Amino acid sequence: YRMVLGMDYNQVEPVFVQLDALNSLVISGRAKSNCHRVAHNILHQIQRNVFVHNSEVYVMDDAKRVLSDVQRLGCVTEYTTDFDRMKEIISEVYEEAQQRQERLYDTDDDAERRAMLDKLPLKLLVINNERVIKKLLSDKHCASELNELLVAYGDTKVCVIWSGYANARASGISSTEVERYVHSLSSFVFMDHLSNLKMEDVSLSTQRALNRPYTDDDAFVHLNDAYQHI
């Protein structure tokens, strides 16, 4: 489940993300930055290695259907633009994660748990577009299940990709628990110049270190408390 996000400008080497170890990945940027392309790239990588990366992918798209072409990929279990169906999918994955955790903790043997996890498919939710994300998180039951899915069942081989996530801080009473948790993980791809990042503070020294000519195809990745320009 090790996916390439792009090529590091400084090190001239691929930048990877390990989906089964990272239960949440935010993709954010300018309004016209085509954040969905990152999710699109990840899904095609999963498909190319579908016999190695055993995955069940659920794609929740907006009315523009910018990810509609991934429906033909064998790794995509379901694609929908229907809000009620999205909530049902989240509930189904939530219940599956509960059952997985119960089975995993039936044994105290770590090696046996790892072997059990290795046999299970990665449950990957791809939620595309800021409006879709906000609508799902405004539903209290749905937001609660997403929060527990990430916080309580994050070790059950589940991952959520938030494509088109709002470039804003998660603070105050207006933000949900799941938004605050997602921000605390601080794992994201930002498709804009680093000086425009609002999700968290970036030191001037970091901005200077990564100050390279920026194009619309560039992005900044933040994983393991480090920034990389791709």
Side-chain angles (χ1 to χ4, degrees):
Y1 302 99
R2 192 171 182 237
M3 306 295 155
V4 178
L5 291 176
M7 187 70 69
D8 185 296
Y9 266 54
N10 293 328
Q11 303 299 324
V12 196
E13 61 184 20
V15 175
F16 296 96
V17 61
Q18 189 79 29
L19 292 181
D20 57 335
L22 187 75
N23 61 358
S24 179
L25 178 67
V26 165
I27 307 169
S28 185
R30 302 180 314 282
K32 297 182 180 179
S33 58
N34 294 321
C35 292
H36 67 277
R37 289 187 302 174
V38 179
H40 190 274
N41 179 41
I42 289 172
L43 295 184
H44 277 269
Q45 288 184 67
I46 292 174
Q47 181 61 33
R48 283 197 295 272
N49 297 280
V50 69
F51 296 110
V52 177
H53 302 139
N54 185 15
S55 308
E56 294 177 3
V57 181
Y58 301 85
V59 180
M60 305 175 195
D61 207 354
D62 70 346
K64 293 182 179 178
R65 301 174 64 87
V66 294
L67 287 174
S68 62
D69 69 309
V70 303
Q71 294 179 82
R72 62 183 176 81
L73 301 181
C75 64
V76 175
T77 301
E78 188 167 348
Y79 169 93
T80 186
T81 59
D82 181 78
F83 180 67
D84 289 332
R85 181 56 191 147
M86 291 178 194
K87 293 194 294 182
E88 290 174 357
I89 290 171
I90 290 167
S91 291
E92 290 165 8
V93 173
Y94 171 76
E95 289 171 7
E96 169 67 17
Q98 281 184 314
Q99 294 167 10
R100 284 185 176 188
Q101 193 175 79
E102 289 172 5
R103 293 196 299 270
L104 288 169
Y105 284 91
D106 277 344
T107 175
D108 294 325
D109 189 316
D110 288 340
E112 187 176 343
R113 285 180 187 168
R114 286 194 295 271
M116 290 171 67
L117 274 175
D118 285 344
K119 294 177 182 177
L120 293 171
L122 172 71
K123 291 277 188 176
L124 177 61
L125 300 177
V126 179
I127 307 176
N128 183 59
N129 191 283
E130 182 181 340
R131 291 188 300 277
V132 175
I133 293 170
K134 284 186 177 297
K135 191 173 181 181
L136 286 171
L137 297 185
S138 66
D139 183 290
K140 289 185 178 180
H141 181 72
C142 184
S144 175
E145 286 188 332
L146 279 167
N147 189 60
E148 280 199 66
L149 187 65
L150 296 176
V151 178
Y153 305 118
D155 60 350
T156 61
K157 209 168 175 182
V158 296
C159 181
V160 180
I161 294 178
W162 312 86
S163 175
Y165 198 87
N167 177 27
R169 289 186 178 277
S171 58
I173 59 173
S174 62
S175 61
T176 63
E177 281 188 61
V178 67
E179 285 175 297
R180 289 190 288 271
Y181 179 71
V182 167
H183 278 250
S184 74
L185 295 175
S186 196
S187 301
F188 57 82
V189 179
F190 185 60
M191 302 183 71
D192 196 356
H193 198 281
L194 206 54
S195 60
N196 295 325
L197 180 65
K198 298 175 183 176
M199 289 186 288
E200 67 176 41
D201 294 326
V202 184
S203 68
L204 286 174
S205 60
T206 298
Q207 291 187 43
R208 291 192 191 102
L210 296 171
N211 187 20
R212 299 286 187 276
Y214 183 84
T215 72
D216 289 343
D217 292 324
D218 289 359
F220 291 92
V221 176
H222 188 264
L223 298 170
N224 303 316
D225 296 320
Y227 285 95
Q228 292 173 283
H229 185 181
I230 61 172

